[in-house]
Amino acid sequence: KTNKLETAFELAFLKNRISFTAAWYRNRSSNQLVGIPLPATTGFSSILSNLNATVENSGFEVETTIIPLKSENFQWNASFNISFPKNKLLSFPGLEGSTYANSYTIGESIYAVKLFDYQSIDPITGKYVFTDYNGDGKITTPDDAQAIKNLGSIFFGGFQNEISYKKLKLSFLLQFVKQEAYNYIRTMSTPGVIVNQPTEFLNVWSATNPSGIIMPYTPGTDATTNALTTNFKNSTAAVGDASYIRLKNIQLNYRLPLQSTFIREAILYAQGQNLLTWTNYFGLDPEMVTSGYLPPLKTLSLGFQLTF
């Protein structure tokens, strides 16, 4: 079941040299068809069933386009858009007794995750320290996995420009995203296992390096270290700022002068994708944070286009 509300308005000035569009939406969905997890003893991982939960997706979007300069030989078009998406679990009857009790929270986004609250490395023991929510002296799930982090986007958008001068045309797109996501720590290996690790994990804590982010390594047979590493991977330390600004695309075209009536148009172009990225993300790439996948590749290309 879906309940939709949408509203929008548009404005234009100076013979459409300045245009503005804004839109707000809210969709509420319930009785979704999802895979309900099953015990491994059944031989199946899940079964399809209707989920009696209500999820709300809402947001606000703005887009504006302007033509700052326009003459016989020169023209500059610019457009900007930004979106503020929101997601919230409104209701879930019986959530506390369901298989989703440790995954979702009423009033939070369905992209929110429950994690251990990482504090620091104890300067005396050299061990990771987490908040003991129930005060029993142990860090266990779900009792101590109470810190909530939202992995969804806060806002995203783009800035597009197209500048033309006689037979030359330059266009480029800047993409930006404000978000949090899992970082390198989420996929780190148990100490002592022979696998490749990011060089950032060489920053090991010690008395002479108190700013180190990794507790001292062991050969892999220390149960306490292994348990703390697992908690570390499932803590707030494994989530960080994944915001970025990226030069997503840039292209330069030159329209060749022609005398032929057979060929209508000939364009020589150079294009680049994902050339520059500005980010503080502690990971491989802030756009593709899923483990096991290559990030968007940086590419350069030259081409020639003919129109007959």
Side-chain angles (χ1 to χ4, degrees), residues 11-217:
L11 297 173
F13 307 94
L14 303 175
K15 297 182 179 180
N16 291 324
R17 289 189 62 172
I18 301 176
S19 60
F20 177 85
T21 302
W24 174 85
Y25 64 90
R26 189 197 70 187
N27 297 334
R28 290 181 176 175
S29 303
S30 60
N31 209 32
Q32 301 95 342
L33 188 64
V34 299
I36 304 296
L38 293 176
T41 53
T42 64
F44 299 91
S45 60
S46 64
I47 184 173
L48 287 177
S49 179
N50 289 100
L51 188 64
N52 190 22
T54 301
V55 178
E56 178 182 276
N57 289 288
S58 61
F60 182 67
E61 301 176 343
V62 174
E63 181 177 355
T64 183
T65 300
I66 61 174
I67 305 176
L69 297 172
K70 186 177 182 180
S71 65
E72 181 179 354
N73 294 322
F74 184 86
Q75 181 165 322
W76 174 20
N77 296 345
S79 61
F80 175 83
N81 68 85
I82 188 169
S83 298
F84 299 87
K86 290 186 178 181
N87 176 274
K88 184 185 294 185
L89 179 62
L90 297 181
S91 66
F92 193 149
L95 173 61
E96 294 78 8
S98 74
T99 56
Y100 294 102
N102 298 329
S103 302
Y104 300 126
T105 303
I106 302 297
E108 296 288 345
S109 168
I110 62 172
Y111 303 111
V113 292
K114 294 182 177 181
L115 303 166
F116 297 121
D117 183 28
Y118 174 69
Q119 296 294 307
S120 63
I121 295 179
D122 190 317
I124 298 176
T125 63
K127 306 292 185 183
Y128 299 129
V129 178
F130 308 90
T131 301
D132 185 6
Y133 282 98
N134 61 5
D136 64 355
K138 298 180 293 184
I139 302 299
T140 57
T141 185
D143 294 339
D144 295 314
Q146 298 298 323
I148 296 177
K149 287 286 188 177
N150 189 349
L151 303 184
S153 299
I154 299 173
F155 62 80
F156 61 89
F159 181 47
Q160 174 78 44
N161 281 267
E162 185 177 283
I163 302 170
S164 301
Y165 177 70
K166 294 185 177 180
K167 299 181 183 303
L168 280 173
K169 179 185 292 186
L170 173 68
S171 61
F172 64 90
L173 169 63
L174 288 171
Q175 174 192 16
F176 60 88
V177 179
K178 175 66 174 178
Q179 63 181 358
E180 285 195 318
Y182 283 126
N183 57 33
Y184 273 143
I185 292 172
R186 179 66 175 181
T187 57
M188 70 181 295
S189 299
T190 302
V193 177
I194 304 176
V195 295
N196 292 325
Q197 296 273 41
T199 56
E200 287 80 358
F201 287 174
L202 294 174
N203 186 17
V204 178
W205 179 92
S206 67
T208 58
N209 184 33
S211 61
I213 62 172
I214 304 297
M215 63 180 284
Y217 289 113

Side-chain angles (χ1 to χ4, degrees), residues 125-128 190-193 215-230:
T125 63
K127 306 292 185 183
Y128 299 129
T190 302
V193 177
M215 63 180 284
Y217 289 113
T218 65
T221 56
D222 183 75
T224 300
T225 300
N226 294 348
L228 286 171
T229 300
T230 299

